[in-house]
């Protein structure tokens, strides 16, 4: 049986183990993809911190995958061996109540979920449901393409589907990592006034270069006051919480304007505490966003291929250095995504 190298998570372990494992074989309706690039998401740290249980152990992590179709188990319409692709990381059932409503990211009966339930892309090869593969145009590099699968597409889902951001609104992107930098660009394209908040000057500089109207360094100034100032006292129409610790959650809630929507994307073990009276008197909404749909990934691939959004790759790493990449991510030292080249 042919072997391949993969970075696997063992439940309870604080780092990933790079080892030789059997190369997977595609079953009915599946494709084998030679992974050319795999983005490293903050979710990986949640597994290592015990915040998210893996679907199995050991598990190959990695849900941002771009590569080339190596083999197809049977005919897949519109898909050929040798084709450049990016993987939609969910394999929804297509039949449950959520799937029928178009909420594939909430499917109650997933056939697979790369790097969560089933083996993902931190490996030389990965098996993906053929109908979850999206063609990646030549204009988009594998490194850039990988970052679209979770980072940029999650940003689109949160902005449009969950928060319903409209022309002229004020949007706060609270935390400018991989998702946040995509969100800044998209919110700007949607006609919003964009305020980026971070404690890292280099991330704020990049956010400004990508279109943020205001940047607030939360290590230097009170972000609530700064948002009030930037909005003539009105507060924000939508705040995207990409950090999710007590301090940032409190600030995010306090900077909401009337009918403001607070959207959780980031989380930690900290609880969110809110006084209902503040929500009631301002008709404010607290909501959350997870993942994305296949259609949204197709749209984001098109946006990237047209140059309408710029994927931000901080650095690339060989598979062997996955734990170094994770440490840099945890330290907040990466501007954009770390991408593995397995
Ligand atoms: Zn992710
Ligand atoms: Zn379903």
């Amino acid at each position: 049986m042919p072997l391949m190298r993969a970075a696997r998570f063992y439940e309870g372990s604080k780092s990933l183990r790079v080892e030789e494992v059997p190369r997977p074989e595609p079953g009915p309706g599946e494709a084998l993809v030679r992974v050319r690039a795999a983005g490293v998401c903050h979710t990986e740290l949640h597994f290592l911190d015990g915040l998210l249980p893996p679907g199995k152990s050991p598990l190959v992590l990695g849900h941002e995958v771009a590569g080339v179709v190596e083999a197809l188990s049977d005919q897949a319409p519109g898909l050929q061996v040798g084709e450049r692709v990016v993987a939609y990381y969910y394999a929804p059932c297509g039949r449950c109540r959520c799937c029928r409503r178009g909420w594939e990211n909430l499917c109650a009966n997933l056939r697979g979920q790369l790097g969560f339930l089933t083996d993902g892309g931190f490996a030389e090869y990965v098996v993906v449901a053929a109908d979850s593969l999206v063609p990646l145009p030549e204009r988009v590099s594998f490194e850039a393409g990988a970052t679209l699968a979770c980072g940029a597409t999650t940003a689109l889902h949160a902005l449009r589907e969950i928060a319903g951001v409209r022309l002229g609104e004020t949007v706060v992107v609270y935390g400018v990592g991989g998702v946040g930098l995509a969100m800044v660009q998209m919110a700007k394209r949607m006609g919003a006034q964009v305020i980026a908040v971070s404690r890292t000057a280099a991330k704020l500089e990049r956010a400004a270069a990508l279109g943020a109207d205001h940047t607030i360094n939360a290590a230097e100034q009170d972000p609530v006051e700064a948002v009030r100032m930037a909005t003539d006292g009105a507060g924000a129409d939508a705040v995207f919480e990409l950090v999710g610790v007590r301090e940032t959650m409190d600030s995010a809630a306090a900077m909401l304007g009337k009918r403001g929507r607070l959207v959780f994307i980031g989380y930690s073990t900290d609880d969110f505490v809110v006084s209902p009276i503040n929500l009631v008197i301002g008709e404010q909404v607290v909501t959350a966003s997870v993942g994305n749909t296949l259609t949204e990934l197709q749209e984001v691939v098109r946006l990237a291929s047209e140059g309408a959004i710029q994927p931000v790759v901080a650095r690339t790493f060989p598979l062997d250095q996955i734990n170094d990449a994770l440490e840099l991510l945890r330290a907040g030292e990466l501007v954009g995504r770390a991408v593995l080249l397995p």
Side-chain angles (χ1 to χ4, degrees), residues 230-246:
T231 56
D232 294 327
D237 295 303
V239 179
F240 296 89
E241 228 296 17
L242 294 146
V243 185
V245 298
R246 186 64 189 267

PDB file of all heavy atoms in Angstrom, residues 230-246:
ATOM      1  N   ALA A 230     -15.284  57.657  15.706  1.00  0.00           N
ATOM      2  CA  ALA A 230     -15.273  57.490  14.245  1.00  0.00           C
ATOM      3  C   ALA A 230     -16.682  57.504  13.665  1.00  0.00           C
ATOM      4  O   ALA A 230     -16.858  57.663  12.459  1.00  0.00           O
ATOM      5  CB  ALA A 230     -14.559  56.183  13.880  1.00  0.00           C
ATOM      6  N   THR A 231     -17.691  57.311  14.521  1.00  0.00           N
ATOM      7  CA  THR A 231     -19.077  57.231  14.027  1.00  0.00           C
ATOM      8  C   THR A 231     -19.928  58.383  14.567  1.00  0.00           C
ATOM      9  O   THR A 231     -21.158  58.266  14.637  1.00  0.00           O
ATOM     10  CB  THR A 231     -19.716  55.883  14.431  1.00  0.00           C
ATOM     11  OG1 THR A 231     -19.634  55.737  15.866  1.00  0.00           O
ATOM     12  CG2 THR A 231     -19.019  54.701  13.779  1.00  0.00           C
ATOM     13  N   ASP A 232     -19.294  59.462  14.966  1.00  0.00           N
ATOM     14  CA  ASP A 232     -19.999  60.615  15.538  1.00  0.00           C
ATOM     15  C   ASP A 232     -20.936  60.201  16.665  1.00  0.00           C
ATOM     16  O   ASP A 232     -22.059  60.718  16.784  1.00  0.00           O
ATOM     17  CB  ASP A 232     -20.802  61.349  14.447  1.00  0.00           C
ATOM     18  CG  ASP A 232     -19.892  61.993  13.414  1.00  0.00           C
ATOM     19  OD1 ASP A 232     -18.783  62.430  13.807  1.00  0.00           O
ATOM     20  OD2 ASP A 232     -20.263  62.036  12.235  1.00  0.00           O
ATOM     21  N   GLY A 233     -20.482  59.245  17.463  1.00  0.00           N
ATOM     22  CA  GLY A 233     -21.247  58.834  18.630  1.00  0.00           C
ATOM     23  C   GLY A 233     -22.283  57.755  18.368  1.00  0.00           C
ATOM     24  O   GLY A 233     -22.872  57.213  19.308  1.00  0.00           O
ATOM     25  N   ALA A 234     -22.532  57.423  17.107  1.00  0.00           N
ATOM     26  CA  ALA A 234     -23.630  56.503  16.790  1.00  0.00           C
ATOM     27  C   ALA A 234     -23.323  55.045  17.107  1.00  0.00           C
ATOM     28  O   ALA A 234     -24.229  54.262  17.381  1.00  0.00           O
ATOM     29  CB  ALA A 234     -23.990  56.626  15.303  1.00  0.00           C
ATOM     30  N   GLY A 235     -22.062  54.658  17.058  1.00  0.00           N
ATOM     31  CA  GLY A 235     -21.718  53.240  17.209  1.00  0.00           C
ATOM     32  C   GLY A 235     -21.827  52.519  15.879  1.00  0.00           C
ATOM     33  O   GLY A 235     -22.243  53.092  14.868  1.00  0.00           O
ATOM     34  N   ALA A 236     -21.463  51.233  15.894  1.00  0.00           N
ATOM     35  CA  ALA A 236     -21.366  50.470  14.645  1.00  0.00           C
ATOM     36  C   ALA A 236     -22.673  49.766  14.303  1.00  0.00           C
ATOM     37  O   ALA A 236     -23.432  49.366  15.182  1.00  0.00           O
ATOM     38  CB  ALA A 236     -20.254  49.437  14.765  1.00  0.00           C
ATOM     39  N   ASP A 237     -22.926  49.608  13.002  1.00  0.00           N
ATOM     40  CA  ASP A 237     -24.087  48.833  12.548  1.00  0.00           C
ATOM     41  C   ASP A 237     -23.838  47.335  12.677  1.00  0.00           C
ATOM     42  O   ASP A 237     -24.771  46.569  12.912  1.00  0.00           O
ATOM     43  CB  ASP A 237     -24.394  49.177  11.093  1.00  0.00           C
ATOM     44  CG  ASP A 237     -24.830  50.619  10.934  1.00  0.00           C
ATOM     45  OD1 ASP A 237     -25.812  51.002  11.596  1.00  0.00           O
ATOM     46  OD2 ASP A 237     -24.185  51.373  10.186  1.00  0.00           O
ATOM     47  N   ALA A 238     -22.615  46.934  12.480  1.00  0.00           N
ATOM     48  CA  ALA A 238     -22.271  45.515  12.644  1.00  0.00           C
ATOM     49  C   ALA A 238     -20.866  45.410  13.207  1.00  0.00           C
ATOM     50  O   ALA A 238     -19.962  46.137  12.782  1.00  0.00           O
ATOM     51  CB  ALA A 238     -22.353  44.768  11.314  1.00  0.00           C
ATOM     52  N   VAL A 239     -20.700  44.545  14.199  1.00  0.00           N
ATOM     53  CA  VAL A 239     -19.382  44.272  14.773  1.00  0.00           C
ATOM     54  C   VAL A 239     -19.119  42.777  14.617  1.00  0.00           C
ATOM     55  O   VAL A 239     -19.938  41.957  15.037  1.00  0.00           O
ATOM     56  CB  VAL A 239     -19.312  44.658  16.263  1.00  0.00           C
ATOM     57  CG1 VAL A 239     -17.924  44.323  16.834  1.00  0.00           C
ATOM     58  CG2 VAL A 239     -19.619  46.138  16.468  1.00  0.00           C
ATOM     59  N   PHE A 240     -18.002  42.440  13.990  1.00  0.00           N
ATOM     60  CA  PHE A 240     -17.630  41.037  13.805  1.00  0.00           C
ATOM     61  C   PHE A 240     -16.562  40.690  14.827  1.00  0.00           C
ATOM     62  O   PHE A 240     -15.457  41.227  14.783  1.00  0.00           O
ATOM     63  CB  PHE A 240     -17.158  40.797  12.364  1.00  0.00           C
ATOM     64  CG  PHE A 240     -18.269  41.023  11.384  1.00  0.00           C
ATOM     65  CD1 PHE A 240     -18.493  42.283  10.841  1.00  0.00           C
ATOM     66  CD2 PHE A 240     -19.141  39.997  11.060  1.00  0.00           C
ATOM     67  CE1 PHE A 240     -19.547  42.512   9.974  1.00  0.00           C
ATOM     68  CE2 PHE A 240     -20.198  40.213  10.198  1.00  0.00           C
ATOM     69  CZ  PHE A 240     -20.411  41.475   9.653  1.00  0.00           C
ATOM     70  N   GLU A 241     -16.918  39.799  15.754  1.00  0.00           N
ATOM     71  CA  GLU A 241     -16.040  39.421  16.854  1.00  0.00           C
ATOM     72  C   GLU A 241     -15.224  38.208  16.422  1.00  0.00           C
ATOM     73  O   GLU A 241     -15.733  37.090  16.367  1.00  0.00           O
ATOM     74  CB  GLU A 241     -16.905  39.069  18.075  1.00  0.00           C
ATOM     75  CG  GLU A 241     -16.480  39.706  19.367  1.00  0.00           C
ATOM     76  CD  GLU A 241     -15.120  39.281  19.880  1.00  0.00           C
ATOM     77  OE1 GLU A 241     -14.313  38.722  19.115  1.00  0.00           O
ATOM     78  OE2 GLU A 241     -14.876  39.541  21.072  1.00  0.00           O
ATOM     79  N   LEU A 242     -13.946  38.450  16.121  1.00  0.00           N
ATOM     80  CA  LEU A 242     -13.099  37.364  15.614  1.00  0.00           C
ATOM     81  C   LEU A 242     -12.111  36.875  16.666  1.00  0.00           C
ATOM     82  O   LEU A 242     -11.243  36.054  16.360  1.00  0.00           O
ATOM     83  CB  LEU A 242     -12.356  37.852  14.366  1.00  0.00           C
ATOM     84  CG  LEU A 242     -13.309  38.132  13.192  1.00  0.00           C
ATOM     85  CD1 LEU A 242     -12.836  39.290  12.339  1.00  0.00           C
ATOM     86  CD2 LEU A 242     -13.494  36.889  12.348  1.00  0.00           C
ATOM     87  N   VAL A 243     -12.234  37.389  17.885  1.00  0.00           N
ATOM     88  CA  VAL A 243     -11.304  37.011  18.943  1.00  0.00           C
ATOM     89  C   VAL A 243     -12.040  36.175  19.998  1.00  0.00           C
ATOM     90  O   VAL A 243     -11.692  35.028  20.252  1.00  0.00           O
ATOM     91  CB  VAL A 243     -10.655  38.254  19.581  1.00  0.00           C
ATOM     92  CG1 VAL A 243      -9.591  37.832  20.597  1.00  0.00           C
ATOM     93  CG2 VAL A 243     -10.051  39.169  18.522  1.00  0.00           C
ATOM     94  N   GLY A 244     -13.069  36.779  20.621  1.00  0.00           N
ATOM     95  CA  GLY A 244     -13.925  36.002  21.516  1.00  0.00           C
ATOM     96  C   GLY A 244     -13.394  35.768  22.912  1.00  0.00           C
ATOM     97  O   GLY A 244     -13.707  34.758  23.524  1.00  0.00           O
ATOM     98  N   VAL A 245     -12.563  36.698  23.424  1.00  0.00           N
ATOM     99  CA  VAL A 245     -12.210  36.616  24.843  1.00  0.00           C
ATOM    100  C   VAL A 245     -13.000  37.694  25.579  1.00  0.00           C
ATOM    101  O   VAL A 245     -13.588  38.583  24.969  1.00  0.00           O
ATOM    102  CB  VAL A 245     -10.681  36.771  25.090  1.00  0.00           C
ATOM    103  CG1 VAL A 245      -9.923  35.647  24.397  1.00  0.00           C
ATOM    104  CG2 VAL A 245     -10.169  38.129  24.631  1.00  0.00           C
ATOM    105  N   ARG A 246     -13.031  37.589  26.919  1.00  0.00           N
ATOM    106  CA  ARG A 246     -13.910  38.437  27.714  1.00  0.00           C
ATOM    107  C   ARG A 246     -13.784  39.925  27.368  1.00  0.00           C
ATOM    108  O   ARG A 246     -14.766  40.625  27.133  1.00  0.00           O
ATOM    109  CB  ARG A 246     -13.618  38.190  29.205  1.00  0.00           C
ATOM    110  CG  ARG A 246     -14.567  38.896  30.136  1.00  0.00           C
ATOM    111  CD  ARG A 246     -15.994  38.359  29.940  1.00  0.00           C
ATOM    112  NE  ARG A 246     -16.946  39.172  30.680  1.00  0.00           N
ATOM    113  CZ  ARG A 246     -17.364  38.904  31.925  1.00  0.00           C
ATOM    114  NH1 ARG A 246     -16.920  37.832  32.554  1.00  0.00           N
ATOM    115  NH2 ARG A 246     -18.218  39.694  32.528  1.00  0.00           N
TER     116      ARG A 246
END
